[in-house]
Amino acid sequence: MWHPWQAWTGALLPPLTLREPVRDLPRGMAVTLHVQAEGRRSLRATWQAEGAPRRDTVLAVPASGVVPLPLGVVRAPLDLTVTDGRAAPLAVRGSVAVRGWVGDLAFRARFPAYLERPDEAIEPVPPLLLPRGTQLRVAALLRGGLTHAGLANGRDTVWLTTAPDAPMAPAGATRVGGTLPVTGDAEWQWVATDGSGGGLPPELPDALPIRVIPDALPEVAIVGPLADTTISPEGEVAVRVLASDDHAVGRVWLEVRRERAAAADAAVARRVERVDVATPQDPAFDGGATVPLAGRQLEPGDRLLVVAVAEAASPWRQQARTAPRVLRVPSLSEQREAARSLGDSLAARAAQLAAQEARLQRSTAEAARSRELAGSGRPDQNTQADAQRNGAQPGTMRFSAAERAKQLAREQQQLAARVDSLRQGARELEQRLRGANAMDTTLASRMRDIQRLLLDALTPEMQKMLEQVNQGAERLRGTEAQQSLEQLARQQQQMREQLARSAEMLKRAALEGSMQTLRDDARELAKAERQLADRLGQGGKEAGTPATGRGGAQEHKPRQQA
């Protein structure tokens, strides 16, 4: 039987229904309802929560007749209307069930003691950037019947508890707190239990990501020696180290390892000696230590590898290391070459100093005879009258003459310093010749004579004369200055003679040392050539033995027949 009007008004279709109840919707959770709408093509849904604007949407009805209706996060009771435009609309009111939640979060960081930084409130803006070792204090309020809450990172769970000295919580809430250890990057998720047993999941805050601010490694560098260098088997080497850290440098030390030029025990090569430098406890350090060389039995070609290590003054003691600085004992051939070069240089320097002392002695003698030294001779009546009119005492030297005398004294002091440097160089030459095994009895005696001559050239009388010249020039006493300059000239004459003799002896020592080192080089070269020839000859014999044996046997038979 046909019912056109009922078909038009939708009365022949089943009514619109919801497959889920809308009572006690979980507050703060996204809710999706399902509408049973067989025989419809589309639906229009309109809903409005208390205190929120109205929302509506058009939904297409699938072949199954079940239409999903996402309402989003529900926080308050709402009114829902669903219609197909013909039949009676579906109108329901949904209520909201109160569930427990965690709120009123507060974070406070307690930084590691070595940072010397006061506790600080942290804004809950993810991610939280904190130094390693920080203790993060978390405070919260539990509401809606929640009894326990905490944070878990997949490995550990920290439950928040009620502290006895915590401030009073509002009615219906529980104040809890706990401490999260910051040991590395972590993603802390909130966990909670509902004591009411309602079965609704509690409303929890977003995850709490923590990112660790890495503690930078200290910086360290060896600035002396500036590069790999050569050393002698004796004495000591000064090593200067610069170190810095963003907080403080705790300790600085050197690690010294010896490498033999010849094959040696591997355990000895791996042995590392530690030389403590300092415990600065400051952000920057500039200092060093000396590495003794005596007693190490260093031989030509041996190396010392020196590494500087800086350790941060933090609980984790991060360390930074430098690349090895190589201190190498020169080979015998290198030591001989260095000794020859140093000997030639010292001989040239001694000759140059002798010539400079001769020129300085002539200048001093000329200054002593200068007429500008008023009072150096008997002044005439005009000179005395001029001095009395100017208010000066007879015998007062001119200012230009006084400055000239001071200049001569300064030049002599500078030359004396160069002579002392020459004496130090002669001692170094003696050490290098001894290290190159080129020091025989005659050469050792000559080097001792050179040291004695250079030491005698720097006499105490010379220093006394220089002081007297300066004093006379300061007081503008011409007579005193003249006498001092004359005596200084005599001392300079003696020093010039000593330097001339030293130059000649250094020249001879350099020549003898060169001859000795060249003989040693020739011996080593000849020895190396013999060894090479022996190896080549041995190899030829091993390669030609079978063929020679067969050939010899074949040639021996004809001779016997003959």
Side-chain angles (χ1 to χ4, degrees):
M1 184 177 184
W2 294 92
H3 302 282
W5 178 252
Q6 292 180 351
W8 175 258
T9 58
L12 300 178
L13 297 174
L16 298 173
T17 59
L18 291 175
R19 302 183 65 175
E20 300 91 359
V22 293
R23 185 183 72 250
D24 296 336
L25 298 175
R27 189 182 72 87
M29 293 184 64
V31 175
T32 299
L33 301 178
H34 293 82
V35 182
Q36 196 76 30
E38 292 86 348
R40 279 84 168 176
R41 293 184 177 180
S42 63
L43 299 176
R44 176 178 292 275
T46 302
W47 70 95
Q48 182 177 13
E50 293 181 358
R54 188 180 66 177
R55 302 173 60 185
D56 58 68
T57 185
V58 175
L59 305 172
V61 180
S64 62
V66 180
V67 182
L69 174 58
L71 300 179
V73 177
V74 177
R75 301 188 182 278
L78 54 82
D79 293 317
L80 171 65
T81 301
V82 180
T83 180
D84 60 359
R86 295 182 298 167
L90 170 65
V92 295
R93 180 173 177 81
S95 61
V96 176
V98 178
R99 59 183 181 134
W101 77 92
V102 179
D104 296 332
L105 299 180
F107 303 95
R108 191 169 187 83
R110 173 169 293 177
F111 300 103
Y114 78 96
L115 295 180
E116 298 181 354
R117 184 174 171 183
D119 296 354
E120 183 179 318
I122 303 297
E123 293 293 329
V125 179
L128 301 185
L129 303 178
L130 298 171
R132 183 183 177 188
T134 301
Q135 299 292 320
L136 182 62
R137 179 69 181 175
V138 181
L141 287 180
L142 306 184
R143 299 177 182 270
L146 282 185
T147 56
H148 296 88
L151 292 122
N153 62 2
R155 298 184 306 272
D156 303 315
T157 301
V158 177
W159 291 100
L160 307 185
T161 59
T162 303
D165 55 349
M168 183 69 67
T174 303
R175 191 179 300 277
V176 294
T179 301
L180 299 181
V182 180
T183 57
D185 294 348
E187 190 86 8
W188 292 89
Q189 302 285 344
W190 285 91
V191 294
T193 58
D194 189 350
S196 62
L200 295 177
E203 184 177 359
L204 301 176
D206 295 333
L208 183 65
I210 295 178
R211 300 292 177 263
V212 171
I213 302 175
D215 189 5
L217 291 175
E219 297 181 357
V220 62
I222 297 177
V223 296
L226 285 174
D228 297 346
T229 186
T230 57
I231 57 174
S232 65
E234 301 295 332
E236 60 185 21
V237 176
V239 180
R240 183 183 170 199
V241 179
L242 294 182
S244 62
D245 186 69
D246 53 354
H247 300 298
V249 179
R251 290 187 299 171
V252 180
W253 67 87
L254 302 176
E255 292 180 354
V256 183
R257 183 167 59 87
R258 183 182 64 187
E259 285 187 352
R260 289 291 194 186
D265 187 2
V268 176
R270 292 192 298 269
R271 188 179 303 157
V272 177
E273 174 191 353
R274 174 166 171 162
V275 179
D276 291 326
V277 177
T279 55
Q281 306 297 322
D282 288 320
F285 170 75
D286 183 356
T290 56
V291 178
L293 304 177
R296 297 181 183 272
Q297 300 178 350
L298 295 175
E299 298 178 357
D302 289 354
R303 306 195 311 168
L304 288 182
L305 306 183
V306 180
V307 176
V309 184
E311 185 179 82
S314 69
W316 304 276
R317 302 186 181 278
Q318 302 97 321
Q319 295 180 359
R321 307 168 65 87
T322 65
R325 186 60 44 87
V326 180
L327 309 179
R328 184 175 61 88
V329 179
S331 63
L332 284 176
S333 61
E334 291 175 327
Q335 293 185 39
R336 294 173 191 138
E337 178 63 28
R340 289 194 293 267
S341 177
L342 180 59
D344 295 339
S345 174
L346 290 177
R349 284 172 56 189
Q352 183 182 20
L353 288 175
Q356 292 176 354
E357 184 65 25
R359 288 193 297 269
L360 187 58
Q361 187 259 334
R362 288 194 298 269
S363 299
T364 304
E366 292 173 359
R369 295 191 298 268
S370 175
R371 297 178 60 87
E372 293 183 356
L373 293 175
S376 60
R378 287 182 301 199
D380 55 17
Q381 296 179 354
N382 294 332
T383 303
Q384 291 180 348
D386 292 341
Q388 291 175 357
R389 282 195 301 271
N390 294 330
Q393 296 293 330
T396 302
M397 65 189 304
R398 295 182 181 179
F399 179 77
S400 59
E403 290 300 311
R404 176 59 178 161
K406 293 179 182 178
Q407 178 64 27
L408 290 172
R410 283 194 296 270
E411 291 179 3
Q412 182 58 54
Q413 288 174 337
Q414 294 171 359
L415 194 142
R418 290 195 290 271
V419 171
D420 187 67
S421 175
L422 179 66
R423 187 171 62 87
Q424 299 294 335
R427 182 180 290 112
E428 182 183 354
L429 175 61
E430 182 178 358
Q431 293 175 353
R432 291 197 178 187
L433 289 172
R434 186 173 288 108
N437 296 329
M439 182 70 74
D440 57 11
T441 305
T442 304
L443 189 54
S445 176
R446 193 179 302 280
M447 294 304 300
R448 287 195 296 270
D449 293 340
I450 292 172
Q451 286 288 332
R452 179 179 53 79
L453 285 173
L454 293 176
L455 188 61
D456 292 343
L458 302 172
T459 60
E461 290 78 6
M462 172 74 74
Q463 185 63 32
K464 182 178 179 181
M465 290 301 102
L466 293 175
E467 294 176 357
Q468 291 179 359
V469 169
N470 284 323
Q471 291 174 0
E474 288 291 338
R475 293 196 294 263
L476 298 180
R477 298 293 180 87
T479 304
E480 294 180 7
Q482 183 185 26
Q483 294 175 352
S484 299
L485 287 174
E486 291 174 351
Q487 296 176 6
L488 177 61
R490 288 192 291 270
Q491 292 291 331
Q492 289 172 334
Q493 173 68 19
Q494 297 177 7
M495 185 174 187
R496 182 183 65 81
E497 295 172 355
Q498 296 284 79
L499 287 175
R501 293 177 59 190
S502 300
E504 183 64 25
M505 295 187 70
L506 274 171
K507 183 177 180 181
R508 292 180 183 178
L511 181 59
E512 293 176 3
S514 296
M515 293 176 62
Q516 181 64 37
T517 54
L518 288 174
R519 280 195 298 267
D520 293 339
D521 285 343
R523 292 193 193 100
E524 286 192 357
L525 181 59
K527 181 180 179 181
E529 289 179 348
R530 287 194 301 270
Q531 293 175 349
L532 178 60
D534 293 342
R535 288 195 299 268
L536 293 177
Q538 185 67 26
K541 291 179 179 179
E542 293 177 355
T545 296
T548 302
R550 291 192 298 269
Q554 294 172 0
E555 292 176 358
H556 186 61
K557 292 179 180 180
R559 284 196 298 267
Q560 287 181 346
Q561 295 174 0

